[in-house]
Amino acid sequence: MLQMKTHYPDAHRVEPSNRHTLAVVVDNEPGVLARIAGLFSGRGYNIESLTVTETEHEAHISRITIVTTGTDSIIQQIKSQLERLVPVHRVVDLTLTGEAVERELCLVKVVGKGDHRVEAMRLASAFGARTLDATLTSFVYELTGTTEEVERFIKLMTAVGLVEVSRTGVAAMARGAEGIM
């Protein structure tokens, strides 16, 4: 069968965007986080979650966990650009290494009386949240779980008097015996 020629260009192929969790091992020195954040913002990439802490005190090494979304080519570009930064020792895409363990911690303050108070206690118990503070009119709960679990908990608590939320961002680690350093 003959294929018909048209004056219109071929349709562009749209790559799907996927969520990726990157573990970045860096020297713990002033300005490193600013350089990494600048790399993202300067190129129009979004950081959905960012956690950082020193993991090897004597060697002054820190681990930065970044959650971002992009096409495969954009994620590859981000990883390549991160690897070129001077204080970066290693970049690992935990999404590609297999199923990683990811957790997020949140603190949630709920204010309410009567039925709302009882429902807040019931929901916290159902999610396995710990009560960190309780007064006659409020609670502060701590919940550790996946981002999806934290989102569901916050959404449900909104209906019973949620007034404040603080979240850590994602901490992640690859499953298995291998470490990233």
Side-chain angles (χ1 to χ4, degrees):
M1 178 176 230
L2 292 174
Q3 194 157 8
M4 212 164 124
K5 288 281 190 182
T6 68
H7 296 288
Y8 300 106
D10 291 338
H12 291 285
R13 194 177 135 222
V14 178
E15 283 187 75
S17 285
N18 296 309
R19 178 182 179 267
H20 284 257
T21 303
L22 306 176
V24 185
V25 179
V26 299
D27 287 333
N28 187 9
E29 60 185 44
V32 173
L33 184 58
R35 279 184 263 166
I36 288 174
L39 183 148
F40 275 79
S41 67
R43 289 157 181 81
Y45 305 144
N46 187 42
I47 296 175
E48 294 176 15
S49 173
L50 175 74
T51 59
V52 60
T53 191
E54 189 172 64
T55 55
E56 297 179 34
H57 299 294
E58 292 173 10
H60 299 290
I61 300 293
S62 290
R63 179 178 175 135
I64 301 172
T65 304
I66 302 168
V67 177
T68 190
T69 300
T71 63
D72 289 344
S73 59
I74 287 186
I75 297 299
Q76 187 56 48
Q77 185 178 26
I78 289 170
K79 292 188 306 190
S80 295
Q81 290 169 350
L82 284 170
E83 287 169 342
R84 282 194 293 249
L85 290 176
V86 171
V88 173
H89 294 280
R90 188 145 185 227
V91 177
V92 177
D93 188 343
L94 295 173
T95 307
L96 298 181
T97 62
E99 195 174 320
V101 177
E102 292 188 8
R103 292 294 179 268
E104 184 174 351
L105 179 132
C106 75
L107 301 178
V108 174
K109 184 182 288 185
V110 179
V111 174
K113 293 182 178 180
D115 289 343
H116 285 284
R117 184 175 173 84
V118 172
E119 184 63 11
M121 289 188 299
R122 189 189 68 72
L123 286 170
S125 177
F127 275 84
R130 290 181 45 215
T131 304
L132 300 180
D133 184 59
T135 68
L136 294 175
T137 59
S138 68
F139 291 106
V140 175
Y141 295 111
E142 172 190 309
L143 178 71
T144 303
T146 64
T147 299
E148 293 77 20
E149 290 168 338
V150 169
E151 291 286 344
R152 275 196 332 268
F153 183 66
I154 291 169
K155 184 177 179 182
L156 289 171
M157 285 298 189
T158 301
V160 294
L162 178 76
V163 294
E164 187 176 356
V165 175
S166 179
R167 296 171 72 165
T168 60
V170 173
M173 188 171 288
R175 294 181 186 273
E178 296 294 317
I180 67 168
M181 269 309 277

